[in-house]
Amino acid sequence: MFKKIRFRYIFILYAIILSACVFNIYPTHDDFYYSAPHKVENLLKNILPTQVFWRPLEIIYSHALNFMPSLFPDLNRIILLAGHLFLCAALFSALKKFTKKSTSVFIGVSFFCLSPGIVGTVSESDFINQILAMSSGIISLMCFFRASQMHDLKYYILWFMLAFLSVLFKENGIAWFVAPVMIYIVYCCSVNGMKFLTAVQQNMLFIIIGFVGMALYFAVRFSLTGGAAFNIGHAVISTKADRYVINFSVLNILKNYCTMLGGAVTSIDPLAFFLKPRNFPLLIATAVISIIFLCYVLSLVIKIFRSNKKLFYILAWLLLCMLFIRFMKWFSVLLSFWE
């Protein structure tokens, strides 16, 4: 009981500190794009997918905010805070299903809260699309878990609908058509003690349904484009304004994955690495710490592979799930449309 109360109070204290910080950050640059009040003359025409990014719910939000401009940016901040705190609570609850060690769960949630990507998301009012896409996706994950455990059709329907809602907030939400199934397979193996291949076979139907959902999203998007067209060049895809450029090469894809993994598993300071003049002492110190950490992780992976093949396959499946989510974000932009 003491631990539960302690974690609860820490969560409340974190919410208070985060609120004090976020409400003192003022909008800048992209914050005045679709997340700010905008009067849309022809709403129906503007929510059609005729640009590189299709985020109709964000455009609707911007149009609605135009009737109450005084709510900007405080309403954005409230949505960001509520969504972020919900994700923290949902992650804590999910991790508790995998382990009964409260301290480990608390450390995992703390890592999520303080990671640069999450802090950046909460600090900019333009990221309400991201926080709403993530929140919808997490709820879809919960619905899929409930559906699989209770064999209740309405929760399967909710999973599918919420995944579709997530991708309408932001393109990377498309991963939630399949990611919940992949995560549930890990749950079946680690908590229920099911064999890995058996868990995959039992959930293969839902993986197929998830890919059907992805195909349905693109079918809807194609059908709404009207006369819009898309063009896939030999190496580069870009808009007319060249604001967004996607390198369609294998080397660039591998580079993006390496950058993603490097940022996730190392503590190398990105500012010291990219900005000039470079802070070499800080860069060297963080690089050394990262190398020591990676060597330790590699030794654990080798030990797990030798002693516990099942756990090794579960970790490999989680890595595949992460790469799949990243690939679907890239792929959804790749098949975007413009006039």
Side-chain angles (χ1 to χ4, degrees), residues 276-292:
K276 296 180 179 181
R278 292 185 173 89
N279 188 336
F280 285 103
L282 180 60
L283 185 60
I284 294 171
T286 54
V288 170
I289 294 173
S290 299
I291 292 171
I292 295 172

Side-chain angles (χ1 to χ4, degrees), residues 9-283:
Y9 285 151
I10 291 175
F11 181 77
I12 293 173
L13 179 62
Y14 171 73
I16 293 172
I17 294 174
L18 188 65
S19 301
C21 294
V22 169
F23 277 86
N24 281 286
I25 299 175
Y26 291 90
T28 180
H29 303 299
D30 283 353
D31 291 337
F32 292 98
Y33 196 49
Y34 277 133
S35 64
H38 282 92
K39 185 178 180 180
V40 181
E41 297 295 340
N42 190 332
L43 182 61
L44 182 60
K45 181 180 179 180
N46 278 273
I47 62 176
L48 294 178
T50 56
Q51 301 179 32
V52 143
F53 296 122
W54 184 40
R55 300 166 185 175
L57 297 182
E58 187 180 32
I59 296 176
I60 293 172
Y61 172 82
S62 175
H63 182 67
L65 200 59
N66 181 66
F67 296 100
M68 303 168 288
S70 60
L71 295 180
F72 178 81
D74 289 337
L75 182 59
N76 296 50
R77 292 163 171 166
I78 291 171
I79 293 173
L80 286 168
L81 280 170
H84 175 69
L85 294 176
F86 163 75
L87 290 173
C88 294
L91 181 61
F92 186 90
S93 176
L95 290 178
K96 287 287 287 185
K97 293 181 180 295
F98 289 91
T99 176
K100 300 299 180 183
K101 297 179 180 179
S102 299
T103 302
S104 299
V105 174
F106 177 72
I107 292 173
V109 175
S110 299
F111 182 81
F112 169 81
C113 293
L114 301 176
S115 61
I118 298 300
V119 172
T121 299
V122 178
S123 62
E124 296 187 35
S125 60
D126 184 54
F127 277 117
I128 59 168
N129 53 22
Q130 176 67 27
I131 208 75
L132 291 173
M134 289 175 64
S135 298
S136 300
I138 291 296
I139 298 173
S140 75
L141 171 66
M142 294 176 173
C143 289
F144 185 82
F145 267 64
R146 180 65 65 88
S148 299
Q149 293 171 345
M150 298 179 61
H151 305 288
D152 194 329
L153 179 60
K154 68 174 179 287
Y155 285 106
Y156 284 120
I157 295 174
L158 283 172
W159 154 58
F160 199 86
M161 292 177 63
L162 285 164
F164 208 94
L165 182 68
S166 178
V167 74
L168 293 181
F169 277 117
K170 195 170 183 180
E171 292 80 3
N172 57 5
I174 196 172
W176 293 107
F177 281 112
V178 176
V181 190
M182 301 178 75
I183 296 172
Y184 183 72
I185 290 172
V186 174
Y187 175 81
C188 291
C189 297
S190 59
V191 178
N192 295 342
M194 191 180 297
K195 291 183 178 180
F196 178 74
L197 291 179
T198 302
V200 173
Q201 290 173 356
Q202 288 190 1
N203 290 278
M204 185 56 66
L205 174 62
F206 300 112
I207 293 177
I208 295 172
I209 292 174
F211 279 107
V212 169
M214 293 179 179
L216 178 62
Y217 163 74
F218 285 115
V220 170
R221 193 163 177 172
F222 270 100
S223 64
L224 293 176
T225 54
F230 69 97
N231 179 31
I232 299 181
H234 177 68
V236 173
I237 299 176
S238 65
T239 63
K240 285 183 179 179
D242 285 329
R243 182 179 179 185
Y244 301 102
V245 177
I246 303 172
N247 195 321
F248 193 57
S249 67
V250 175
L251 288 177
N252 188 69
I253 296 172
L254 293 175
K255 178 183 175 182
N256 286 336
Y257 276 127
C258 290
T259 303
M260 176 190 66
L261 291 174
V265 301
T266 68
S267 60
I268 297 176
D269 188 274
L271 296 180
F273 186 78
F274 289 108
L275 297 185
K276 296 180 179 181
R278 292 185 173 89
N279 188 336
F280 285 103
L282 180 60
L283 185 60

